[in-house]
Amino acid sequence: MKRIRPPSQPPRAHPITSPYHPAMFCGLGAALCLATGAASAQQAATAAAAEVLVGATVIVKGQALDEADRARARLDQVAGTVSVVNNADVERGRAANAEDVLAYQPGVFAAATSGNGANKISIRGSGLNAFYQGYSLGIKYLYDGLPITGPGGTQEDLLTLNGLDYTEVLNGANAFSYAALSLGGAINFVTHTGRSAPGTAIGVEAGSYGYRKYALSTGGVSADNHTDYYLAYFYNERDGFQRQTPNSGNEYVANLGHRFSDRLETRLTVRHRNEELRNGSTITLAQLAADPRQSNATTSARKKTGTTLVTSKTTLTLDDRAKLELGLAYNDYPLDNGWRYSTTPQDWRSTDGSMSLRYLRTGDTLFGKPSDTTIAFSDTRLLKGDVTAYDQNLATATRTTERQYTVYTGSRDTVLSFANELQLSEGLALSTGLSFIEVDRDAHIDRTILTTTEKFPRAVRYNDHAVAPRVGLRYQATPDLLVFANISRSVDPPVTWQMGSTGVPYIRPLKPQRATTGEIGLRAGSEAHEGTLSVYRSWISDELLSTVVRQASAGVDALIANANASKTIHQGIEAALTSKLWKNADDDRLSYRQAYTFSDFYYRGDARYGRNQLPSLPRHVYQGELLYQQAGGFYAGVNTRAMSGYYVDYANSLKAPSAVIWAAKFGYEAPGRKWKAYLDFRNLGDRHYASAASTVDNARGLDSASFYPGDGFSVYSGVVYRF
């Protein structure tokens, strides 16, 4: 397929529309108008196009593209919702966590619940009520195309997103190329290289609630242009919005690339992070209204003695039409959960090893039509996984008796995929794919002093096989309008710890979650507007849901239960639009970007809950930003985030309140990128609101401690100097 874009057209952005602002419907209407009228406006520009997409190759004529633009051009060929976040745009304000980086992405919900991380990340309702302060579910996370998600899940300490060039977000089965078969899809974080971040940079940030962040990086390319390097160190610290919720961490990043020849290149990336985080607690609505900084019981803390991620990717170009990619990853992520502040701490030890192999071939013909083929193999296994639970004397912070020892070693996820892109005609392309999945889970309690009357097994070992097909169509109706549709199958096996418990001695057999998803949408653009709009519906069987059985109290952690649900539906609308509102002869400009996500998740007819809505995510989320950029480097903007209320229990008896949060930022980027500074104001109205909520079975309509408070009014500033 061929995608042509004139040089003056802005890069594809993330943002779009909302029920809270009627004018935003005009924005969506503009995108649809572009769909029908852009052809004549842009016909003359196609002869002088800036970039031409053929397969995965971007040919630049007259204008250089950075790596984020190249990724955006490549993902434009996907027949579904995808987006790319350029970290340079995010760093115009505070860029502390995934809530900052993933803002304005249609279909994505990211919210920080305490500390420095974004502890609630969901795409299309994936892992919609996962517990916080530990793991993220339902999305495959990758660094530089290699997974940090494995059979044990994804720990959140590497979601600080330091040292990034850009981020790819691929909703649902649109992440097929990354062997991601989860309902939510994949998020791929791409690390800076010596080519994308040359020179040395020093950054200092500070702000409300004791926020401090220091960064030092250096990068460069060898004289023969064969080797590049990027080295960085980051330190973060925060006292916390809720009282007594401090956190701190430091992170090292190293990225080394070498081109042996025009046909062989390799890249090695290493990340190492240490972290200490004392958790905030959920509070009631009454407490949220009176004093959101209060904490009912700060009962536990996470201590990461050192997460280490090592990835290696080697690419061998076999000939002009074929190449082979080999990826290896090692991820060691220990977790001391409940450190110091809990009567029942747990020591989690996890080490993943993964290998991926991709063969890509372009320029063939099939049935007389141009054809590109990809064969991919991915294997991720838990090389070591166990949890030891203890009794602890809080007065002396001394661990006494071992309560339970649970082993998960041997679990693995293996995927073999075949994909083809067939150009049926000049404007019409067919995408097909088929994945074969094998899942091994091994969870057993080796020893325990606990007893229970529940009739659960002490061990679960199973081998599960599944097939996941995907079919998609994309039609280039005009040079500036792409229409797409796809239908796909997703498979989410339970992660190891979902099947067990350290507070009660049992192993619960859980089935993999399966879903069939249909999606239809469009991408459109012109000189003034560029946007995307899609509608999807997922029919889900055995959805993996969780609930808080016992809330945390002084010295005792919360108890979480996981189970397969009856049949459910996830459906929604994902929309984004960026508009150039004004530009003068000096290249000063005013732009508006917006994103809207509608989420409708419910039971299809549960014996207990009927057709109740699934809890834990807002049905409507809107984000918008009006930004003025002066050609000399000054910029100023105001933005808003609006969220509707949503249920926090399966019985639909208690709701989190709706909220509209306003923010503003100002900054300056010196010409030549020598230095930059920003001032970022958050929650201008000091609104008391819930950023996220824990899920309970039935609140019976009574106010309960289920709500994580969002930060109040806050100010952040930062300076970066490059030399």
Side-chain angles (χ1 to χ4, degrees):
M1 167 184 162
K2 185 179 292 185
R3 170 74 169 156
I4 300 175
R5 181 171 301 169
S8 59
Q9 190 164 340
R12 186 172 306 284
H14 338 301
I16 215 172
T17 318
S18 161
Y20 302 96
H21 300 270
M24 303 314 146
F25 286 108
C26 298
L28 275 179
L32 297 176
C33 290
L34 290 169
T36 58
S40 59
Q42 292 297 320
Q43 196 67 36
T46 59
E51 56 190 80
V52 178
L53 247 62
V54 180
T57 303
V58 179
I59 302 171
V60 183
K61 298 181 181 178
Q63 181 181 4
L65 297 179
D66 61 24
E67 292 303 317
D69 288 332
R70 291 176 182 272
R72 186 175 293 113
R74 171 172 49 83
L75 293 183
D76 268 351
Q77 295 185 102
V78 175
T81 301
V82 293
S83 55
V84 175
V85 184
N86 191 328
N87 234 53
D89 296 334
V90 181
E91 290 169 355
R92 291 193 181 107
R94 189 194 73 175
N97 53 42
E99 178 180 305
D100 299 330
V101 174
L102 297 176
Y104 306 101
Q105 306 311 303
V108 181
F109 181 84
T113 57
S114 73
N116 200 55
N119 308 109
K120 179 67 172 180
I121 305 175
S122 179
I123 301 178
R124 297 182 174 179
S126 60
L128 81 170
N129 51 21
F131 82 97
Y132 311 118
Q133 318 300 343
Y135 292 84
S136 182
L137 297 175
I139 300 170
K140 186 172 185 177
Y141 295 90
L142 308 100
Y143 268 99
D144 305 307
L146 296 170
I148 62 171
T149 297
T154 308
Q155 283 202 16
E156 295 171 351
D157 56 317
L158 285 184
L159 301 185
T160 52
L161 310 187
N162 290 318
L164 294 188
D165 183 9
Y166 62 92
T167 299
E168 300 174 349
V169 182
L170 303 98
N171 298 26
N174 300 310
F176 189 89
S177 61
Y178 285 123
L181 300 171
S182 297
L183 178 69
I187 300 178
N188 180 36
F189 308 114
V190 180
T191 308
H192 269 305
T193 69
R195 302 178 191 278
S196 65
T200 299
I202 298 175
V204 178
E205 296 178 84
S208 302
Y209 315 118
Y211 173 77
R212 293 171 294 278
K213 184 176 180 179
Y214 311 108
L216 173 64
S217 68
T218 185
V221 183
S222 63
D224 61 7
N225 202 36
H226 288 170
T227 303
D228 71 89
Y229 65 91
Y230 173 79
L231 304 172
Y233 170 75
F234 302 89
Y235 175 81
N236 65 272
E237 189 173 344
R238 192 174 190 259
D239 297 336
F241 176 66
Q242 282 186 291
R243 299 180 184 93
Q244 299 181 341
T245 57
N247 75 81
S248 62
N250 56 76
E251 188 168 353
Y252 304 85
V253 180
N255 190 344
L256 177 66
H258 183 71
R259 295 175 179 172
F260 295 96
S261 68
D262 291 341
R263 293 185 178 275
L264 180 63
E265 60 183 81
T266 190
R267 184 164 298 280
L268 175 69
T269 305
V270 180
R271 286 180 175 268
H272 181 81
R273 179 169 176 80
N274 298 286
E275 179 181 84
E276 292 184 7
L277 169 63
R278 189 168 177 181
N279 299 340
S281 74
T282 52
I283 60 178
T284 66
L285 289 174
Q287 291 174 314
L288 184 68
D291 179 12
R293 300 198 66 186
Q294 64 184 295
S295 180
N296 286 330
T298 306
T299 60
S300 64
R302 286 190 292 141
K303 184 177 182 180
K304 306 286 294 186
T305 54
T307 291
T308 302
L309 173 68
V310 182
T311 64
S312 173
K313 186 176 181 180
T314 300
T315 302
L316 173 63
T317 301
L318 302 174
D319 54 43
D320 292 341
R321 297 192 302 173
K323 66 179 179 178
L324 191 65
E325 296 177 349
L326 172 65
L328 300 172
Y330 172 87
N331 187 16
D332 182 56
Y333 47 106
L335 169 63
D336 191 344
N337 197 33
W339 164 70
R340 187 182 294 176
Y341 302 103
S342 175
T343 58
T344 56
Q346 306 104 39
D347 186 9
W348 300 55
R349 307 295 303 186
S350 304
T351 303
D352 288 348
S354 67
M355 188 271 282
S356 64
L357 188 65
R358 290 207 309 168
Y359 173 75
L360 302 94
R361 185 169 181 84
T362 62
D364 290 328
T365 59
L366 181 64
F367 308 119
K369 305 294 184 181
S371 172
D372 298 340
T373 301
T374 301
I375 303 173
F377 174 80
S378 173
D379 181 84
T380 303
R381 58 186 63 206
L382 201 55
L383 303 177
K384 178 178 176 58
D386 57 51
V387 180
T388 307
Y390 301 90
D391 287 324
Q392 180 168 248
N393 185 321
L394 286 180
T396 61
T398 303
R399 295 182 178 184
T400 55
T401 307
E402 180 186 292
R403 295 166 59 88
Q404 186 170 305
Y405 178 66
T406 308
V407 180
Y408 302 113
T409 304
S411 299
R412 69 182 176 96
D413 297 328
T414 303
V415 180
L416 176 62
S417 298
F418 300 88
N420 180 263
E421 297 287 318
L422 186 64
Q423 196 74 40
L424 300 177
S425 64
E426 184 178 355
L428 182 64
L430 172 67
S431 303
T432 56
L434 185 64
S435 291
F436 299 92
I437 308 143
E438 184 175 14
V439 176
D440 278 330
R441 289 293 180 266
D442 188 336
H444 58 276
I445 298 172
D446 261 18
R447 53 186 182 268
T448 182
I449 65 170
L450 304 174
T451 59
T452 180
T453 58
E454 299 289 345
K455 295 181 179 180
F456 291 118
R458 296 294 181 93
V460 173
R461 296 181 177 90
Y462 72 83
N463 178 270
D464 187 85
H465 296 81
V467 176
R470 169 180 166 80
V471 178
L473 281 171
R474 62 183 191 275
Y475 176 58
Q476 195 76 48
T478 74
D480 301 292
L481 172 63
L482 176 73
V483 180
F484 57 79
N486 67 74
I487 186 166
S488 57
R489 185 77 168 157
S490 63
V491 180
D492 285 271
V495 299
T496 52
W497 55 261
Q498 285 183 294
M499 300 188 297
S501 169
T502 54
V504 178
Y506 72 81
I507 296 292
R508 172 174 292 182
L510 296 175
K511 301 177 184 177
Q513 169 185 307
R514 289 176 166 84
T516 300
T517 301
E519 178 184 7
I520 186 170
L522 59 85
R523 285 192 283 270
S526 73
E527 284 294 324
H529 305 279
E530 188 159 354
T532 179
L533 173 67
S534 65
V535 179
Y536 72 91
R537 180 180 174 94
S538 299
W539 293 262
I540 305 176
S541 299
D542 298 314
E543 182 169 0
L544 291 164
L545 299 177
S546 61
T547 185
V548 177
V549 176
R550 181 191 66 212
Q551 293 282 6
S553 58
V556 180
D557 294 333
L559 181 61
I560 312 295
N562 300 277
N564 290 112
S566 62
K567 293 182 178 181
T568 54
I569 292 289
H570 287 208
Q571 61 184 4
I573 300 172
E574 301 166 335
L577 181 66
T578 295
S579 302
K580 293 167 60 177
L581 303 179
W582 169 81
K583 181 180 177 181
N584 66 11
D586 296 327
D587 204 29
D588 301 338
R589 63 187 63 193
L590 184 68
S591 62
Y592 188 59
R593 62 172 178 167
Q594 45 188 330
Y596 169 66
T597 300
F598 170 67
S599 302
D600 184 24
F601 312 143
Y602 59 90
Y603 287 103
R604 291 172 62 182
D606 185 76
R608 182 178 181 188
Y609 302 115
R611 294 178 64 86
N612 280 7
Q613 294 179 26
L614 295 175
S616 294
L617 283 179
R619 286 171 63 82
H620 304 277
V621 178
Y622 171 79
Q623 292 178 282
E625 180 184 53
L626 183 67
L627 182 67
Y628 168 74
Q629 294 171 280
Q630 193 257 346
F634 172 77
Y635 60 88
V638 60
N639 62 79
T640 186
R641 183 181 190 184
M643 300 176 290
S644 64
Y646 56 93
Y647 291 111
V648 301
D649 64 337
Y650 294 101
N652 289 182
S653 70
L654 179 64
K655 270 190 171 185
S658 61
V660 179
I661 309 300
W662 291 90
K665 63 184 178 185
F666 306 87
Y668 177 78
E669 294 178 293
R673 301 178 65 207
K674 188 72 174 179
W675 67 277
K676 64 179 181 180
Y678 77 83
L679 193 60
D680 194 345
F681 296 86
R682 303 289 181 98
N683 196 355
L684 291 172
D686 197 23
R687 177 72 181 266
H688 295 189
Y689 73 102
S691 62
S694 63
T695 304
V696 297
D697 177 54
N698 187 353
R700 296 178 174 82
L702 303 175
D703 191 5
S704 64
S706 298
F707 306 94
Y708 288 96
D711 287 2
F713 172 75
S714 50
V715 183
Y716 302 92
S717 63
V719 177
V720 175
Y721 181 77
R722 304 179 189 278
F723 56 93

